């Protein structure tokens, strides 16, 4: 019994120590943003690596998610003779929920895992130690541009995801299933509220961007510098990001409804 | 505990070697000198500054006077050879790009790799990567360079080149050098002073001649490569007979 309690206490201490380390790293990385005014090229390079290279997966996934929404939405709505509301259903689902959540999950899988693996390998090959010995702070040089790039990129990628999704829904609903094009767009124009619907999606995507990139850089920076350690950290990034996104989505939805 | 009661004096402008069996904490010692690790007790002084007591800013300032050659080279893989050597200069100086170019080419010429400046680290052999890392460590003209296992895994030619380079850099530029290694012959050839450590303590010190003539069993075993002695061949365990009987039971 005592042993079980001790083990529980030990796990609790480990968790709080992990959370404390990650929070301290997050704060020092935020301070590192100032350094990017002197070295904007570091940020631009990471915007390309984190954002532009995630563009294709976001584009294709957004299109298919929108098409599925169009198909499912039409089949449900047609039973009630309400297929004219398809545009509203597709747009609201994407803007409020699917865009930020699926976008963040894809981002964690594509960009987050790549960030963790890159930083972890830099640690394993002593590149981070090498920088420290050259009196160059790796938190400013390596982590800060990656965190900021993630925070900037994800909301933009989510916006693209939702936009392409609406077009995918239009293609299936209007072009293939015969919903009226005017009704599709006018329902979106009438029912989608900028502040309530669009902004809630934007806020979610910013929060998810911070959390997913924070997890990714911390896992890489804190990993055990071996091939097994880097592999475990990369897996952790995807798992923790996915769980955090889904949990936070519920919290944010509850707050913003 | 890794070290206990270790007292070392690294003479300025000389080559000092720290040797010992694998796993004795030689690299840890370099990390302590560079301030990457902090000791629980004791002091480490570089140029009169007690490293563990320095603030982060002071530590980063004093590191500009230090260069370190890592075992793997630790070159930044997203940059080519030229940019790797130019990296500390671009970060710490306001020199114009034309002057940085000249300085980098001179450093690369010193290590014989001026012609490899456009190559990526992945295109370099292990020996070349270490020479580029040496050029980068010299970029800011430090007063101290630490070499972590510079000869490990090198072919005889690369090893010979590295030995000569370390000696030449020390003689021409008067840089204090600390070499951590267990390659006996190469290190004894160039080191002015050698510390032999084992199990967290200094077990021998002196120049190469003194160590070769030492009567200490630790020093003898290490210098001559005996398979058994103070460092036992068998990892600490029960007797073989006990172990075998245990299995039968």
């Amino acid at each position: 019994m005592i042993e079980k309690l001790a083990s529980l206490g030990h796990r609790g201490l480990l968790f709080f120590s992990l959370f404390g380390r990650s929070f301290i790293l997050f704060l020092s990385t935020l301070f590192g943003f100032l350094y990017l005014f002197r070295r904007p090229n570091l940020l631009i390079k990471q915007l390309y690596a984190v954002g532009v290279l995630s563009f294709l997966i976001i584009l294709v996934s957004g299109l298919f998610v929108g098409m599925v929404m169009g198909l499912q939405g039409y089949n449900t709505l047609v039973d009630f003779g309400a297929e004219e509301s398809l545009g509203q259903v597709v747009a609201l689902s994407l803007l409020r929920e699917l865009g930020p959540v699926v976008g963040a999950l894809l981002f964690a899988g594509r960009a987050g895992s790549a960030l963790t693996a890159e930083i972890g390998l830099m640690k394993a090959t002593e590149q981070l130690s090498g920088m420290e010995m050259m009196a160059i702070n790796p938190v400013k040089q390596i982590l800060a541009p990656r965190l900021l790039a993630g925070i900037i990129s994800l909301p933009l990628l989510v916006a693209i995801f939702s936009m392409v999704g609406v077009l995918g829904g239009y293609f299936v609903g209007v072009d293939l299933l015969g919903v009226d094009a005017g009704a599709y767009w006018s329902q979106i124009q009438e029912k989608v509220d900028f502040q309530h619907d669009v902004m809630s999606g934007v806020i979610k995507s910013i929060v998810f961007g911070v959390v997913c990139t924070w997890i990714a850089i911390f896992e890489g920076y804190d990993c055990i510098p071996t091939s097994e350690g880097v592999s475990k950290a990369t897996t952790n990034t995807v798992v923790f990001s996915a769980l955090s996104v889904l949990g936070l989505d519920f919290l944010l939805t509850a707050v913003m409804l | 505990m890794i070290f206990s009661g270790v007292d070392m004096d690294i003479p300025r402008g000389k080559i000092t070697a720290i040797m010992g069996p694998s796993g004795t904490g030689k690299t840890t010692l370099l990390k302590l000198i560079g301030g990457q690790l902090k000791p629980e007790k004791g002091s480490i002084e570089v140029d009169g500054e007690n490293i563990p007591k320095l603030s982060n800013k002071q530590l980063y300032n004093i590191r500009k006077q230090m260069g370190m050659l890592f075992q793997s080279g630790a070159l930044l893989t997203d940059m080519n050879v030229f940019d790797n050597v130019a990296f500390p200069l671009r970060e710490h100086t306001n020199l114009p790009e034309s002057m940085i170019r000249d300085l980098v080419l001179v450093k690369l010429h010193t290590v014989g790799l001026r012609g490899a400046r456009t190559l990526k680290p992945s295109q370099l052999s292990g020996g070349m990567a270490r020479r580029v890392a040496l050029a980068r460590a010299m970029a800011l003209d430090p007063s101290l360079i630490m070499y972590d296992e510079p000869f490990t895994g090198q072919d005889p030619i690369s090893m010979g080149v590295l030995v000569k380079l370390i000696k030449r850099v020390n003689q021409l530029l008067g840089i204090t050098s600390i070499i951590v290694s267990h390659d006996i012959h190469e290190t004894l050839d160039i080191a002015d002073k050698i510390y032999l450590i084992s199990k967290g303590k200094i077990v021998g010190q002196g120049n190469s001649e003194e160590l070769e003539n030492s009567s200490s069993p630790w020093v003898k075993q290490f210098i001559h490569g005996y398979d058994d002695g103070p460092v036992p061949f068998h990892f600490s365990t029960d007797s073989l007979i006990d172990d075998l009987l245990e299995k039968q039971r």
Side-chain angles (χ1 to χ4, degrees), chain A residues 57-67 94 106 161 164-166 168:
Chain A
I57 188 173
I58 289 285
L59 201 74
V60 175
S61 308
L63 185 71
F64 281 116
V65 168
M67 285 164 71
L94 283 164
L106 291 168
F161 183 96
V164 173
V166 169

Side-chain angles (χ1 to χ4, degrees), chain B residues 54-62:
Chain B
L54 295 180
S55 68
N56 236 19
K57 197 175 174 189
Q58 289 169 320
L59 191 60
Y60 272 79
N61 270 335
I62 204 162

Side-chain angles (χ1 to χ4, degrees), chain A residues 85-136:
Chain A
S85 302
L86 184 66
Q88 179 195 349
V89 170
V90 172
L92 288 181
S93 312
L94 283 164
L95 287 169
R96 283 188 192 169
E97 291 299 332
L98 286 174
V101 172
V102 179
L105 293 177
L106 291 168
F107 179 82
R110 217 288 321 168
S113 58
L115 284 177
T116 305
E118 185 191 17
I119 296 168
L121 281 171
M122 288 181 90
K123 188 176 179 182
T125 53
E126 297 181 310
Q127 292 179 52
L128 300 181
S129 294
M131 272 189 192
E132 279 180 6
M133 284 310 296
M134 282 188 276
I136 294 160

Side-chain angles (χ1 to χ4, degrees), chain B residues 11 28 54-56 60 79 105 124 165 218 242:
Chain B
T28 306
L54 295 180
S55 68
N56 236 19
Y60 272 79
M79 295 180 187
L105 291 183
L124 302 174
L165 271 175
W218 282 98
D242 287 350

Side-chain angles (χ1 to χ4, degrees), chain B residues 133-155:
Chain B
L134 178 56
R136 187 177 68 176
M138 292 189 304
L140 290 171
D141 293 327
S143 51
L144 166 70
I145 295 189
M146 294 181 275
Y147 300 88
D148 185 11
E149 305 279 10
F151 313 120
T152 305
Q154 298 299 302
D155 63 64

Side-chain angles (χ1 to χ4, degrees), chain A residues 21-38:
Chain A
R21 283 204 310 279
S22 70
F23 191 67
I24 289 168
L25 186 77
F26 180 65
L27 288 184
S28 25
T29 312
L30 285 185
F31 281 115
F33 285 177
L34 297 173
Y35 176 75
L36 298 174
F37 286 107
R38 271 178 55 205

